[in-house]
Every structure is written in C-alpha cells, then in structure tokens.
Amino acid sequence: MTSIQSSDYLFASVGQLGQWLRAGRCTPGDLAELALAALRERADPLNAVVNLAPNRARGEAEAAATRFSTGTGLNDAILGIPYGVKDLLATSGGLPTTWGAEPLRNQVFADDATVIKLLRSGGAVLCAKLAMIELAGGGGYYQPNASLTGPAHNPWNTNHWTGGSSSGSAAAVACGALPFSIGSETRGSILMPASYCGVVGVRPTYDLVSRQGAMTLSWSMDKIGPIARSVDDCARVLEVIGVPDSTGPGHRHRFRYRPSMMEKRKIRFGLISAEAQEADADIGRLFDAVIPELEQLGSIEEMELPNLPYGDVARLIIASEASSFFEEFIESEMLAGLRAPESHVIPYAYGTILAKDYIRALRVRSQVLTILHDIFSQIDILITPTTTRTASPIDRPFTAAANRDSGSDLNVSSNLAGFPAVTIPIGLDSKRLPVGLQMVGGAFKDEELLVAAARIERGVGWQERPPEPSLP
Amino acid sequence: MIFYKYSGGLQAVGDVDGEDDVVEQQLHTILERQQGRIDEAGIHDLREHLVAFRRRAESVRRVPLSLADEPALRFDPQE
C-alpha cells in the first residue's frame, strides 16, 4: 500500500481523502497521524488547539479501518476523515471541554455531544478540541486575547486575528491541518472567523443541528455548523449532523444535499446595498466582481432591511439568556479567572436587564421573523460582504470601525430569525487577507442555499487558488 | 441608534434623563453583593456597560409593538 505524505494530506478535501481511503492509498490511521502532526506543527503555533486527542483519534481510526475491511458504511462520506470541534462540545472519556475558559480547563463530561456521536457514527475521527473565545464571548470582550489559549493567529497573516468565537475551528482548517471542523454561532461566530480565515463556514437553520451537549450562550439563538475549505465539504458534514434529534426538542428536518436537482434553477438574489457600501474599498471591489457570477445564475434586486435596532435586540436576548446559563459562574470566583479583564465585570451588567425588556426583545424578534419571511417570499438568497473589514490586528483592542459591537444588520437579523447562512471566500484584499461573501437563505432552505453557494464558489474560482498561509 | 462608542473602552455619547441615578443604584447593588471583588478600573468599565445595557433596552422599547407581536418562548424559525 502506498501511503500518502504530509504534502498530499495538507489542504486535501474531504472528497479527495475519501477517494484515497477507498482506493487503499492510505488508512484512517495514516490520516489520523498526519492530522495530529499537522495540528501540532501548524495549528498549535497559531493558538488554535486546546487539546489534542491522540488516543481517541487512534481508537476511532481503528474502528473506521474495521468498517473499511468489512465493507460496512462505505457510503459515509466522512468515514475515516479527521476533524476537530470547537471546545464547547462535550466529550467523554476524560477529554476536557473547557468552553475556552481557564477556570474550566479541567472540566469533563460523562457523555459526548450529539453532534460528536453523529460524526462518530459516520466514521469521522476526532483529533482535537479547538480554541474558542472564552464562553463563546459570554463574558463580553474587546480584544483577540480573550481565550484560554491566547489570541488565535490568522494563518494568512499571523499578525492578524482569526475572528471569533470559533477561532480554532476556522484556523485549523485554513492552515490545512484538518479538512473540516465544527463551530458554533449565536451572532457571527462561524461566519466571521471563516471569512477572516478564507474558508467556508455554514450556519444552519436554528435547531437543524442538535445543540445537546453544547455549551449554551443563548438557548434561542445558538446554532452548530461545519467549517471546511469548500461548500461541498461543508454539505457532506451537514448531511451527517443535520438530522432529527431524538434526544431534545429539535426539529424533525433532515438535511440533504442534491446539487444535481437544483443546478439549473434560477435564483432570485437580494442585495443589501447599504451594507455593501459600508465595506472597505477592497472588499467592495471583490464583492462587485462577484455580481456577474450572480447574474448568470438568476436575477439581483437591491433591497433594504427595515430600520430596527437588530444589534440591541440580539444583545438583550443573548445577555439575558447567558446570565441564566452562567449564573453560577458569574457569581463565583471563576469569573475573575477569565483571560480578558473586561470579562471580569461585564457579565454583572447582564443581571440588570429587566424581564419586561427581555420579553420585549423577544416580541421585536417576532417582527424580525415576519420581515424576513416576507423578504424570502420574494427572493431566494440575501447577499452582502460577510464583514465590512478584513481580519483585525491581533495585538490591539477592537475599534468602532471594526463594528465589533453590532455586527451587520443582515448577520444579526438572520441570527435572530434563525435563518441559515454561509460565507465563501471571494478573494484577498491588498493586505492579502481573505474576503468573504455572506449568503442568507430562508428557514430550512439550507440545501438550496448551499447548492447556490457551490455554484458561486465554482464561478469565483477560489478553490483553484492555492492557499498561501503565512505560518509562524 | 448608536448611543455609545468604543475607543479603548466604551464611551457613552449623549445622556438619558434619570439614567445616572438608576445606573449608580445598580452599580451600588452589584458592588455590595460582590464585596470588594471589583477594582477601580472594573467599576469604571462596569458603569459604562450598565449605561450601555440601559440604552439598548431604551432603544428596543422605542420599537412600536402590536398586540399580535407575541414573544416566541419556544423559538421556531418557521413560524
């Protein structure tokens, strides 16, 4: 058997690795060892790794090898494929789940999160728990250095940040150490780091993916989703984890990805022009260059979102729910153990939100839901640049210009409504930092959204461009 | 509507009637409860965030609601 080398493994897609496994060019054990080495050599220096899981990886690789030898489950696209998860998904077997926070460095759980169980059933091989902003930003933070593992360096330029809170999930994929990872988003935490790191990030419809076993930031806004280097790879992963959840109150929807059934369908795009105009000139130029690709796929209509305080509504909901989930943490000495000094006090402010204001925010969210349902009765996909700036410097606090406090109206409103979104890379700015295109679809229209994103991705041709990360 | 800005720390922009008294009362309650665990810099930061959350609530209260706008206590994006 001719085993593949590190140079073959790095940046190989889920599909490519699967082909090599099926052709006998490598074993799941080979891939696990290559992934563990790449995580140590490439991802760990970026502060993207919390804990490696070598024993678990080798055990799961052996189980996958048995399936190959017995011919069971060979149609599983992720059989034998290495991956990592944001460290807010619970893992059993003594492997800690830190939620990115120093005081919880040794926190362990008795059971795996449902997402991890599903990936194991599909034959994937868990190699690492990946870095994140402490408590997924639940402490509030002004700077990249708000994580147990320190600030996460962007593989494209290590003087810049990865974005957060799924920092390690984006960086480990972007540096080639893993073909895919799992992140979570409450308000921008998959899309922003995926865009900053030049990879694809998918935020599924709320509750399409089980949240069982995941740390809660906001019960009503948290979503779990994949990060990979192509839309197809994200879709392969989402097919495994986007299934009805028998363990919780989740939906009965099952995600399927059938590109051939929708390839020819005309797509009605809605462009949020105000947000496109707020972007830096480089981002605007790359965004404009994508428009002809979109026109080939259908029609484009310029649109505006109604003027509502989306950011304030989201903040009230998230802070209210976080203050309940983290009540014990906030009232204990643990709060002072968070890395970012500002996080030692901001959570106390959450407790001053009145119940009537939380309820009012929920009522306004119902309006947002109605607004987006109306918009999506007229169009299929809303688009904007994913962020208005590329990755910020790693050694400085966030600035108002980075729009850290509010996020884009499309990102926040669609997070409030629980609608799905994807970001795909569309080029590099003049500082050679990645720029992303954000696409938002209707509720449970995840398949249509990803099929369209894959078509645009092919048109943009990013996959044909070799990544040029600057590693430390 | 933006009522505050960030530049090395949250900076309040503008004022709301009666806000200072309420915020000072909230601050006093928190400090008493935390019994010296918050230092001077933290008190300054906390005050700014209390103001910020008050203003977020004010901003949301200004959105007109109808009786039909019910809170989704079990959130479902399809509804």
Side-chain angles (χ1 to χ4, degrees), chain A residues 206 219-220 321 355 358-360 362-363 365-366, chain B residues 70-76 79:
Chain A
Y206 174 78
W219 288 283
S220 69
E321 296 184 15
Y358 170 63
I359 295 292
R360 188 165 189 104
L362 293 179
R363 293 177 70 192
R365 176 160 71 170
S366 297
Chain B
E70 290 190 17
L73 295 176
R74 172 73 190 109
F75 184 65
D76 183 342
E79 288 174 355

Tab-separated table of all heavy atoms in Angstrom, chain A residues 206 219-220 321 355 358-360 362-363 365-366, chain B residues 70-76 79:
chain	number	residue	atom	x	y	z
A	206	TYR	N	-31.659	27.397	12.654
A	206	TYR	CA	-31.738	27.109	14.088
A	206	TYR	C	-32.382	25.745	14.325
A	206	TYR	O	-33.449	25.455	13.773
A	206	TYR	CB	-32.563	28.207	14.771
A	206	TYR	CG	-32.841	27.967	16.233
A	206	TYR	CD1	-31.869	28.194	17.189
A	206	TYR	CD2	-34.087	27.516	16.650
A	206	TYR	CE1	-32.115	27.969	18.532
A	206	TYR	CE2	-34.358	27.290	17.988
A	206	TYR	CZ	-33.361	27.523	18.923
A	206	TYR	OH	-33.615	27.304	20.236
A	219	TRP	N	-29.981	29.938	24.490
A	219	TRP	CA	-30.765	28.772	24.066
A	219	TRP	C	-31.518	29.056	22.766
A	219	TRP	O	-31.690	28.168	21.955
A	219	TRP	CB	-31.793	28.383	25.146
A	219	TRP	CG	-31.212	27.776	26.355
A	219	TRP	CD1	-30.770	26.494	26.483
A	219	TRP	CD2	-30.997	28.410	27.628
A	219	TRP	NE1	-30.295	26.291	27.766
A	219	TRP	CE2	-30.429	27.436	28.483
A	219	TRP	CE3	-31.240	29.677	28.126
A	219	TRP	CZ2	-30.093	27.707	29.805
A	219	TRP	CZ3	-30.901	29.952	29.445
A	219	TRP	CH2	-30.340	28.976	30.268
A	220	SER	N	-31.997	30.272	22.620
A	220	SER	CA	-32.863	30.550	21.472
A	220	SER	C	-32.103	31.066	20.257
A	220	SER	O	-32.715	31.330	19.226
A	220	SER	CB	-33.960	31.551	21.868
A	220	SER	OG	-33.409	32.832	22.111
A	321	GLU	N	-30.181	35.463	28.425
A	321	GLU	CA	-30.109	34.004	28.492
A	321	GLU	C	-28.758	33.555	29.061
A	321	GLU	O	-28.689	32.610	29.852
A	321	GLU	CB	-30.406	33.409	27.104
A	321	GLU	CG	-31.839	33.737	26.658
A	321	GLU	CD	-32.250	33.108	25.335
A	321	GLU	OE1	-31.570	32.193	24.849
A	321	GLU	OE2	-33.282	33.549	24.782
A	355	ALA	N	-36.944	41.751	33.136
A	355	ALA	CA	-37.680	40.694	32.439
A	355	ALA	C	-38.536	41.280	31.324
A	355	ALA	O	-38.623	40.727	30.226
A	355	ALA	CB	-38.552	39.929	33.437
A	358	TYR	N	-36.432	41.899	28.286
A	358	TYR	CA	-36.110	40.648	27.583
A	358	TYR	C	-37.321	40.198	26.750
A	358	TYR	O	-37.198	39.868	25.568
A	358	TYR	CB	-35.718	39.570	28.597
A	358	TYR	CG	-35.596	38.176	28.012
A	358	TYR	CD1	-34.645	37.885	27.043
A	358	TYR	CD2	-36.443	37.154	28.441
A	358	TYR	CE1	-34.538	36.602	26.510
A	358	TYR	CE2	-36.338	35.871	27.912
A	358	TYR	CZ	-35.387	35.608	26.950
A	358	TYR	OH	-35.285	34.342	26.419
A	359	ILE	N	-38.489	40.230	27.372
A	359	ILE	CA	-39.706	39.808	26.662
A	359	ILE	C	-39.969	40.744	25.475
A	359	ILE	O	-40.352	40.310	24.386
A	359	ILE	CB	-40.924	39.812	27.619
A	359	ILE	CG1	-40.739	38.768	28.730
A	359	ILE	CG2	-42.225	39.585	26.862
A	359	ILE	CD1	-40.779	37.340	28.269
A	360	ARG	N	-39.743	42.032	25.704
A	360	ARG	CA	-39.955	42.980	24.610
A	360	ARG	C	-39.006	42.664	23.442
A	360	ARG	O	-39.394	42.707	22.278
A	360	ARG	CB	-39.747	44.416	25.092
A	360	ARG	CG	-40.137	45.417	24.048
A	360	ARG	CD	-40.295	46.829	24.572
A	360	ARG	NE	-40.883	47.650	23.533
A	360	ARG	CZ	-42.146	48.043	23.495
A	360	ARG	NH1	-42.962	47.728	24.471
A	360	ARG	NH2	-42.591	48.760	22.487
A	362	LEU	N	-37.860	39.788	22.679
A	362	LEU	CA	-38.402	38.597	22.010
A	362	LEU	C	-39.571	38.969	21.098
A	362	LEU	O	-39.749	38.398	20.024
A	362	LEU	CB	-38.871	37.564	23.041
A	362	LEU	CG	-37.797	36.891	23.897
A	362	LEU	CD1	-38.440	35.920	24.885
A	362	LEU	CD2	-36.776	36.161	23.036
A	363	ARG	N	-40.381	39.932	21.544
A	363	ARG	CA	-41.516	40.356	20.708
A	363	ARG	C	-41.015	41.070	19.455
A	363	ARG	O	-41.563	40.877	18.369
A	363	ARG	CB	-42.451	41.264	21.512
A	363	ARG	CG	-43.145	40.526	22.648
A	363	ARG	CD	-44.014	41.457	23.479
A	363	ARG	NE	-45.192	41.902	22.753
A	363	ARG	CZ	-45.995	42.891	23.161
A	363	ARG	NH1	-45.723	43.532	24.298
A	363	ARG	NH2	-47.047	43.227	22.455
A	365	ARG	N	-38.226	40.434	18.102
A	365	ARG	CA	-37.691	39.361	17.260
A	365	ARG	C	-38.798	38.721	16.425
A	365	ARG	O	-38.559	38.325	15.274
A	365	ARG	CB	-36.988	38.289	18.092
A	365	ARG	CG	-36.534	37.157	17.194
A	365	ARG	CD	-35.467	36.302	17.772
A	365	ARG	NE	-35.960	35.481	18.843
A	365	ARG	CZ	-35.254	34.501	19.398
A	365	ARG	NH1	-34.034	34.255	18.980
A	365	ARG	NH2	-35.752	33.795	20.357
A	366	SER	N	-39.991	38.609	16.964
A	366	SER	CA	-41.103	38.075	16.170
A	366	SER	C	-41.353	38.953	14.947
A	366	SER	O	-41.687	38.451	13.865
A	366	SER	CB	-42.371	37.989	17.026
A	366	SER	OG	-42.170	37.089	18.093
B	70	GLU	N	-46.314	38.537	19.669
B	70	GLU	CA	-46.096	37.699	20.855
B	70	GLU	C	-44.647	37.245	20.921
B	70	GLU	O	-44.019	37.026	19.885
B	70	GLU	CB	-46.995	36.461	20.790
B	70	GLU	CG	-48.457	36.766	20.986
B	70	GLU	CD	-49.270	35.488	21.145
B	70	GLU	OE1	-48.668	34.436	21.422
B	70	GLU	OE2	-50.492	35.568	20.986
B	71	PRO	N	-44.124	37.080	22.122
B	71	PRO	CA	-42.768	36.529	22.223
B	71	PRO	C	-42.788	35.045	21.887
B	71	PRO	O	-43.716	34.341	22.279
B	71	PRO	CB	-42.410	36.740	23.699
B	71	PRO	CG	-43.720	36.736	24.405
B	71	PRO	CD	-44.723	37.322	23.443
B	72	ALA	N	-41.807	34.598	21.110
B	72	ALA	CA	-41.728	33.166	20.809
B	72	ALA	C	-40.951	32.503	21.937
B	72	ALA	O	-39.733	32.512	21.949
B	72	ALA	CB	-41.033	32.958	19.473
B	73	LEU	N	-41.658	31.959	22.888
B	73	LEU	CA	-40.987	31.371	24.040
B	73	LEU	C	-40.365	30.021	23.696
B	73	LEU	O	-39.426	29.584	24.327
B	73	LEU	CB	-41.955	31.246	25.210
B	73	LEU	CG	-42.439	32.607	25.738
B	73	LEU	CD1	-43.484	32.421	26.829
B	73	LEU	CD2	-41.292	33.459	26.269
B	74	ARG	N	-40.905	29.352	22.690
B	74	ARG	CA	-40.211	28.201	22.109
B	74	ARG	C	-39.949	28.589	20.661
B	74	ARG	O	-40.826	28.497	19.816
B	74	ARG	CB	-41.072	26.932	22.184
B	74	ARG	CG	-40.467	25.766	21.426
B	74	ARG	CD	-39.263	25.162	22.139
B	74	ARG	NE	-38.581	24.216	21.254
B	74	ARG	CZ	-37.389	24.451	20.712
B	74	ARG	NH1	-36.746	25.568	20.964
B	74	ARG	NH2	-36.823	23.563	19.931
B	75	PHE	N	-38.759	29.060	20.411
B	75	PHE	CA	-38.486	29.693	19.135
B	75	PHE	C	-38.525	28.695	17.981
B	75	PHE	O	-37.980	27.606	18.064
B	75	PHE	CB	-37.113	30.370	19.177
B	75	PHE	CG	-36.812	31.115	17.919
B	75	PHE	CD1	-37.574	32.213	17.579
B	75	PHE	CD2	-35.802	30.709	17.071
B	75	PHE	CE1	-37.325	32.902	16.402
B	75	PHE	CE2	-35.543	31.386	15.901
B	75	PHE	CZ	-36.308	32.495	15.561
B	76	ASP	N	-39.206	29.077	16.909
B	76	ASP	CA	-39.279	28.247	15.717
B	76	ASP	C	-39.168	29.159	14.504
B	76	ASP	O	-40.050	29.990	14.275
B	76	ASP	CB	-40.621	27.498	15.682
B	76	ASP	CG	-40.709	26.561	14.473
B	76	ASP	OD1	-39.926	26.741	13.521
B	76	ASP	OD2	-41.560	25.658	14.496
B	79	GLU	N	-42.204	29.815	12.031
B	79	GLU	CA	-43.478	30.437	12.398
B	79	GLU	C	-43.443	31.939	12.188
B	79	GLU	O	-42.386	32.527	12.164
B	79	GLU	CB	-43.793	30.118	13.858
B	79	GLU	CG	-44.181	28.660	14.029
B	79	GLU	CD	-44.358	28.281	15.491
B	79	GLU	OE1	-44.086	29.109	16.374
B	79	GLU	OE2	-44.758	27.138	15.727
